[in-house]
Amino acid sequence: MHWIPTVDTKLNIWTTAAVIGASIALYNTLLGWWRNTLGKRAFFVRNYRKLAPHVRHEYVKGLFGEPAWQYKQNVEQYVVDPEPEGTGVGIAEQDMTVRTWPLGRMAYLTTWCTKDDEVAMYGITTRSRIFRPAIRVGSEHVIRLGKSHLSSLPHPDPDVEGRVRWAVGAHMFSYSEAHYFGSPGGYRTWVLGVSDAGYPSTAPVGLGANPDECDDPAQVARFRAEARINSVLIAGGSALRLDSILPSGVGPEIGRVILVEPEYGLRARLVRLRWKTWAATARLREPRSHGE
């Protein structure tokens, strides 16, 4: 008869605790790696879709951490005119706190908060070709940030949503148009457009410096057909006068976000090499005249 060794089947509580602790540590390590690499895009999109007008700033900070930029800006709002001989509606100013988060190298998140730190407006601007989240506009339209053209949405009604706005300067530009759907849209206003801090960013140079210098609707239609939406600003049903911050308010202030030091190291070199290769390929594809 062969000798059979004795096997201890007693549960060792310390060994079990060590295995559970190691498993939790491994899970947290893998989760952190996923959120900082391949799963970062999904993490940002999932948290962005948890936002809504009138949420608290602390709620946003719990989702995205501390903002990188914060400053005050005056925003106009409609108020009831107390004068008996007035028109019934006046305009007043209020200070709002504007905060901006860099979502890695993929996007910028911006919130506009009242003095009580209630989010009155929030927006997102893509800055990468791999960050193209689908965003519902109203109840019947869905756009993909960084991919959908402005013409994928109906032209705004000037009598309801105001006219489209743009500004072209020596170093900065922006374009915005508002869309309002009333009760089906929860009385929210979606402002979509092109920010110079986003990607891709098509400057409305063919339209002139501002809407007052363009009297040809065909030029606006042409730009809407070729420009891609890289920024969305969502405002709740309030008395804010959006014209007082547009068109530049559709995205973050490039004068602030551009001051962040550029990246160095191997990743930065690869990015520069990729853009140089793309630029050289684009030049080779350009048709040349006979004199060249």
Side-chain angles (χ1 to χ4, degrees):
M1 182 176 181
H2 296 287
W3 177 77
I4 302 176
T6 303
V7 179
D8 187 6
T9 59
K10 294 182 179 179
L11 180 64
N12 190 325
I13 188 171
W14 299 111
T15 303
T16 304
V19 171
I20 294 176
S23 300
I24 294 175
L26 178 61
Y27 171 79
N28 290 333
T29 301
L30 293 176
L31 181 62
W33 173 82
W34 172 259
R35 288 182 174 179
N36 290 324
T37 54
L38 302 178
K40 183 180 290 187
R41 176 190 176 277
F43 176 74
F44 289 149
V45 173
R46 183 171 62 252
N47 283 353
Y48 170 77
R49 289 175 178 168
K50 295 178 182 179
L51 299 181
H54 311 305
V55 300
R56 298 180 300 113
H57 164 65
E58 291 297 324
Y59 174 75
V60 183
K61 190 168 68 172
L63 295 174
F64 296 98
E66 292 286 346
W69 297 275
Q70 176 176 322
Y71 62 94
K72 297 285 187 178
Q73 183 168 338
N74 287 332
V75 180
E76 295 180 354
Q77 64 177 351
Y78 295 103
V79 295
V80 177
D81 191 353
E83 296 295 332
E85 298 180 356
T87 59
V89 178
I91 295 177
E93 290 186 350
Q94 67 165 314
D95 283 337
M96 301 193 75
T97 304
V98 185
R99 299 180 175 95
T100 302
W101 287 258
L103 304 183
R105 305 177 185 90
M106 297 185 184
Y108 292 111
L109 174 72
T110 304
T111 62
W112 299 69
C113 296
T114 64
K115 63 180 181 180
D116 298 325
D117 257 352
E118 177 184 292
V119 176
M121 300 179 288
Y122 66 97
I124 191 167
T125 297
T126 180
R127 54 186 297 213
S128 170
R129 66 176 62 192
I130 67 172
F131 188 79
R132 294 180 174 181
I135 297 177
R136 182 173 296 278
V137 180
S139 58
E140 299 180 357
H141 305 281
V142 176
I143 62 101
R144 189 167 290 277
L145 208 62
K147 184 177 181 179
S148 299
H149 294 83
L150 290 163
S151 58
S152 61
L153 294 171
H155 196 284
D157 185 353
D159 297 330
V160 177
E161 301 151 324
R163 61 176 180 171
V164 299
R165 295 185 174 275
W166 66 85
V168 180
H171 304 287
M172 296 180 291
F173 62 88
S174 53
Y175 174 97
S176 68
E177 58 184 47
H179 295 269
Y180 178 75
F181 303 96
S183 178
Y187 299 104
R188 288 169 292 180
T189 300
W190 283 263
V191 181
L192 301 100
V194 180
S195 170
D196 48 8
Y199 173 88
S201 54
T202 304
V205 291
L207 304 181
N210 53 66
D212 296 331
E213 297 185 5
C214 180
D215 55 0
D216 186 3
Q219 293 294 331
V220 178
R222 176 193 57 79
F223 178 77
R224 295 185 77 245
E226 68 180 21
R228 298 181 183 180
I229 303 168
N230 67 18
S231 298
V232 176
L233 177 70
I234 302 176
S238 63
L240 293 177
R241 187 171 177 268
L242 297 179
D243 289 348
S244 61
I245 64 169
L246 296 178
S248 60
V250 71
E253 186 179 332
I254 192 173
R256 298 176 187 271
V257 300
I258 202 175
L259 296 179
V260 176
E261 286 290 330
E263 296 179 356
Y264 299 93
L266 179 61
R267 181 184 178 90
R269 294 179 181 178
L270 292 176
V271 171
R272 287 195 293 269
L273 178 61
R274 184 187 67 183
W275 282 108
K276 288 181 179 179
T277 304
W278 178 85
T281 304
R283 286 195 297 268
L284 291 175
R285 293 176 178 176
E286 292 179 354
R288 296 185 179 184
S289 60
H290 296 288
E292 295 182 353

